[in-house]
């Protein structure tokens, strides 16, 4: 056996992300790894590559225990990883990017660029990859970037190559190029751990599949001996929605987005109709484009094609400023990076989107600012020392309440919520659900993105499925099970 793990466990804040994982991969094997969002796949990869340390258990390499505490330890062992997002420096050429993290050869006290070029070119020819190594990473196509990272991985003695969602940003033609490369590596004896949400790729490439569920090992199967429904069954708890049936209060269409495509190509075809009085859930697996769709509609991410209408009025220019003016707000997944400024006070953060409202002849009305901000903070029960406390000093849940307070200051009709309960406690999560339901009942439209399938089944009235950058079917959330939703995500 090339690699084996015994009882690997990892906790974060007292909660198991992985528990008692026993995994093995054989020499020259393509081994699939699948599981729902949050099943523990990324944590497992990070342990194998030295980003995280396991709390319990051990890793064996060719039946001998090894210590992997850093990425360098992992590479020296013979393990390399290629992430979904390319780890390349855009302005560096192919040679420079291949040598990232490696020692440059030196001749007569100077960097030996010729030796570097010859070494990289020789490896590219060995792998039968035709690349212009003088081009910068910025000039390469997505599959060429993947090829460059494979060359970098194979420059060292790479016995196990981990590919994490490698086709997420590739076209069908580019995907075929990658598959041909993977088959070549397999013939050379390299083991591949292939992590993906795309079932068709698992069945096409892998010899065996390991399934994670809720941080635990759910099963290991020979790919030829199982079908898609069988895999999905091993991935899910078959959890059923316990959502209380409500009388339909669906009103007019407040948000209509048609044929949305982002300039970066992540969103290929997004279509949304969100009605007054409803919470429209959007669910998709990792890399499906959920976040990017909301950001494109909001105007944060540049749009390539498509139209957005708010209350029947077509938006001629998409930008956060115009969205707010027309009654639409975005609760971003990246709370600290995009939704608040930690060094500012709670009051200043709450007023960020409407500060002009308090200015008269260039002078701010500080008294009214304080009164209004305090009113919103009290309404959301933000636990704080005072309205002038720095936002960064609050707990995660209370920071998220500040973000909601800021959004509510503009009296929006449409709430675009991207993972709004991420990293908050159970009580705050319930309060956010209650708040959004109240807003929907008052006539707003809520678009709710979550990677937590149970949460989507709990809060959404309808669920829009997203896969591969495209929106698919809409499911009415009555008596839906997690299997029903996942089956739609994996439908080709």
């Amino acid at each position: 056996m090339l690699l084996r793990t015994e009882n690997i466990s990892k906790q974060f804040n007292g909660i198991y992300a992985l528990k008692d994982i026993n995994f093995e991969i054989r020499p020259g094997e393509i081994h699939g790894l699948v599981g729902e969002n949050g099943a523990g796949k990324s944590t497992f990869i990070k342990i194998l590559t030295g980003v995280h340390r396991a709390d319990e258990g051990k890793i064996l390499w060719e039946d001998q225990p090894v210590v992997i505490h850093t990425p360098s330890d992992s590479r020296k062992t013979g393990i390399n990883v290629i992430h979904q997002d390319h780890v390349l420096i855009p302005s560096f050429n192919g040679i420079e990017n291949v040598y990232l993290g490696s020692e440059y050869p030196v001749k007569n006290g100077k960097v030996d660029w010729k030796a570097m070029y010859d070494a990289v070119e020789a490896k590219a020819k060995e792998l039968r990859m035709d690349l212009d190594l003088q081009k910068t990473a910025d000039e390469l196509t997505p599959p060429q970037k993947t090829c460059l990272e494979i060359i970098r991985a194979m420059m060292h003695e790479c016995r196990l190559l981990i590919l994490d969602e490698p086709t997420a940003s590739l076209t069908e033609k580019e995907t075929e190029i990658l598959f041909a490369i993977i088959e070549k590596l397999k013939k050379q004896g390299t083991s591949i751990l292939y992590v993906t949400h795309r079932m068709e790729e698992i069945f096409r490439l892998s010899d065996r599949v390991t399934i994670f569920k809720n941080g635990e090992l759910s099963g290991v199967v020979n790919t030829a001996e199982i079908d898609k429904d069988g895999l999905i069954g091993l991935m899910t708890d078959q959890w059923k929605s316990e959502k209380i049936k409500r009388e339909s209060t669906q009103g007019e269409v407040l948000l209509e987005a048609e044929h949305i495509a982002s300039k970066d190509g992540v969103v290929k075809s997004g279509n949304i109709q969100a009605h007054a009085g409803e919470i429209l859930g959007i669910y998709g697996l990792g890399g499906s484009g959920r976040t990017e769709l909301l950001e494109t509609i909001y105007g944060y991410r540049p749009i390539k094609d498509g139209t957005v209408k708010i209350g029947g009025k077509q938006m001629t220019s998409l930008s956060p400023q115009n969205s707010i003016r027309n009654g639409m707000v975005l609760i971003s997944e990246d709370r600290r990076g995009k939704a608040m400024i930690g060094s500012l006070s709670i009051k200043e953060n709450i007023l960020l989107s409407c500060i002009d409202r308090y200015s008269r002849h260039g002078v701010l009305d500080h008294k009214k600012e304080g009164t209004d901000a305090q009113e919103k903070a009290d309404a959301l029960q933000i636990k704080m020392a005072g309205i002038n406390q720095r936002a960064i000093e609050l707990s995660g849940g209370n920071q998220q309440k500040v973000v909601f307070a800021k959004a509510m200051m503009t009296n929006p009709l449409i709430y675009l919520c991207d993972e709004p309960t991420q990293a908050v406690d159970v009580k705050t999560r319930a309060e956010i659900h209650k708040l959004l339901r109240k807003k929907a009942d008052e006539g707003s439209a809520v678009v709710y993105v979550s990677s937590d399938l149970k949460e989507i089944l709990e809060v959404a009235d309808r669920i829009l499925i997203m896969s591969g950058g495209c929106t698919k079917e809409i499911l009415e959330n009555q008596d839906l099970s997690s299997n029903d939703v996942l089956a739609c995500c994996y439908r080709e």
Side-chain angles (χ1 to χ4, degrees):
M1 205 59 65
L2 179 66
L3 172 81
R4 191 166 82 249
T5 69
E6 293 183 356
N7 304 115
I8 291 290
S9 296
K10 180 67 179 177
Q11 295 184 58
F12 294 102
N13 299 318
I15 298 172
Y16 277 102
L18 288 174
K19 188 173 183 181
D20 294 329
I21 298 296
N22 295 299
F23 171 87
E24 59 181 32
I25 188 166
R26 300 163 182 161
E29 175 185 29
I30 300 179
H31 196 109
L33 178 60
V34 299
E36 284 188 81
N37 296 325
K41 304 184 300 294
S42 295
T43 301
F44 185 64
I45 291 171
K46 288 175 181 177
I47 287 173
L48 293 183
T49 54
V51 177
H52 291 327
R53 294 189 188 186
D55 297 327
E56 304 167 34
K58 59 183 177 179
I59 300 172
L60 295 98
W61 184 260
E62 295 184 318
D63 297 321
Q64 297 300 313
V66 290
V67 175
I68 300 178
H69 285 170
T70 66
S72 178
D73 291 339
S74 179
R75 287 192 295 270
K76 287 175 183 175
T77 300
I79 303 170
N80 275 280
V81 61
I82 295 177
H83 297 282
Q84 179 178 340
D85 298 318
H86 296 291
V87 184
L88 299 169
I89 296 179
S91 60
F92 278 21
N93 66 24
I95 309 297
E96 293 166 320
N97 270 297
V98 167
Y99 268 85
L100 281 177
S102 299
E103 189 174 343
Y104 283 17
V106 175
K107 185 177 181 181
N108 299 325
K110 295 181 180 179
V111 173
D112 191 343
W113 292 103
K114 185 178 184 305
M116 289 169 63
Y117 181 87
D118 290 345
V120 177
E121 188 179 49
K123 182 58 69 174
K125 284 182 178 178
E126 178 189 324
L127 296 171
R128 298 180 185 177
M129 294 182 184
D130 185 19
L131 279 180
D132 184 345
L133 297 169
Q134 298 297 348
K135 280 188 175 181
T136 64
D138 215 24
E139 297 174 296
L140 300 178
T141 64
Q144 287 174 332
K145 290 176 182 177
T146 300
C147 288
L148 194 61
E149 292 199 272
I150 290 174
I151 292 171
R152 183 170 64 199
M154 302 307 289
M155 287 290 287
H156 308 278
E157 190 181 354
C158 179
R159 306 274 305 284
L160 171 59
L161 182 63
I162 301 172
L163 297 173
D164 186 9
E165 296 288 352
T167 63
S169 61
L170 303 186
T171 64
E172 189 174 335
K173 183 179 179 182
E174 292 167 343
T175 296
E176 290 299 324
I177 294 170
L178 175 63
F179 287 173
I181 293 167
I182 290 171
E183 291 293 347
K184 287 177 192 172
L185 292 174
K186 179 183 178 180
K187 288 176 182 176
Q188 293 176 4
T190 304
S191 299
I192 309 286
L193 178 57
Y194 196 90
V195 186
T196 185
H197 287 300
R198 298 182 176 182
M199 290 287 108
E200 67 274 16
E201 295 178 9
I202 288 293
F203 285 103
R204 175 171 173 176
L205 294 173
S206 70
D207 303 302
R208 292 188 300 152
V209 189
T210 289
I211 303 97
F212 282 2
K213 180 174 70 176
N214 300 327
E216 298 185 15
L217 183 67
S218 178
V220 182
V221 296
N222 293 320
T223 310
E225 296 173 3
I226 197 168
D227 60 13
K228 184 174 71 174
D229 290 339
L231 271 185
I232 292 172
L234 287 169
M235 289 165 54
T236 178
D237 286 326
Q238 182 61 314
W239 192 84
K240 199 164 186 177
S241 172
E242 296 179 2
K243 187 172 178 294
I244 299 170
K245 189 173 176 111
R246 302 167 61 247
E247 290 298 320
S248 176
T249 55
Q250 195 179 87
E252 64 176 311
V253 175
L254 292 182
L255 171 65
E256 185 172 18
E258 294 183 317
H259 311 301
I260 300 297
S262 58
K263 276 190 178 178
D264 57 14
V266 178
V267 182
K268 298 176 176 62
S269 179
N271 296 281
I272 286 180
Q273 274 196 351
H275 296 255
E278 78 164 335
I279 297 179
L280 173 66
I282 300 182
Y283 184 79
L285 301 168
S288 61
R290 304 161 308 193
T291 292
E292 293 81 1
L293 176 60
L294 292 197
E295 290 181 345
T296 306
I297 290 170
Y298 186 64
Y300 179 80
R301 184 176 293 262
I303 190 171
K304 178 183 178 183
D305 292 308
T307 59
V308 176
K309 294 179 182 177
I310 296 177
K313 174 187 172 185
Q314 184 165 326
M315 301 285 286
T316 55
S317 176
L318 295 182
S319 69
Q321 184 180 27
N322 284 340
S323 292
I324 291 170
R325 280 178 179 167
N326 285 275
M328 181 165 67
V329 293
L330 172 66
I331 309 294
S332 174
E333 176 183 22
D334 183 3
R335 180 167 59 233
R336 293 190 180 183
K338 298 176 182 176
M340 57 171 272
I341 301 174
S343 59
L344 294 183
S345 69
I346 295 165
K347 180 186 81 172
E348 290 168 325
N349 271 284
I350 290 175
L351 300 175
L352 273 176
S353 298
C354 60
I355 191 68
D356 54 336
R357 187 189 305 169
Y358 299 92
S359 175
R360 290 187 180 180
H361 310 296
V363 179
L364 288 173
D365 186 341
H366 292 294
K367 183 177 180 181
K368 181 153 180 57
E369 276 186 337
T371 301
D372 289 357
Q374 184 71 53
E375 183 181 306
K376 280 289 184 289
D378 291 343
L380 291 175
Q381 298 180 343
I382 298 173
K383 291 183 180 178
M384 57 187 178
I387 202 75
N388 293 311
Q389 183 181 5
R390 290 197 313 156
I392 196 66
E393 296 170 0
L394 300 177
S395 68
N398 283 294
Q399 287 179 13
Q400 191 70 333
K401 288 182 180 181
V402 170
V403 172
F404 269 97
K406 180 188 73 173
M408 288 164 60
M409 287 296 292
T410 62
N411 299 314
L413 277 177
I414 303 162
Y415 290 81
L416 304 179
C417 300
D418 186 16
E419 303 282 4
T421 61
Q422 187 177 74
V424 303
D425 59 79
V426 175
K427 182 174 181 290
T428 304
R429 177 180 169 125
E431 288 172 344
I432 289 172
H433 290 173
K434 186 177 179 181
L435 170 67
L436 291 173
R437 174 54 64 195
K438 181 173 182 287
K439 290 299 171 184
D441 289 344
E442 290 172 353
S444 294
V446 177
V447 181
Y448 198 103
V449 164
S450 176
S451 56
D452 185 334
L453 181 48
K454 290 182 180 179
E455 181 177 29
I456 283 287
L457 287 168
E458 183 182 341
V459 303
D461 299 308
R462 296 185 300 150
I463 300 173
L464 176 62
I465 304 300
M466 193 160 187
S467 174
C470 302
T471 50
K472 304 292 185 181
E473 60 254 73
I474 288 188
L475 307 174
E476 293 291 335
N477 187 15
Q478 296 297 336
D479 300 318
L480 272 181
S481 71
S482 51
N483 269 22
D484 296 331
V485 178
L486 282 176
C488 292
C489 293
Y490 287 120
R491 192 169 292 153
E492 296 172 28

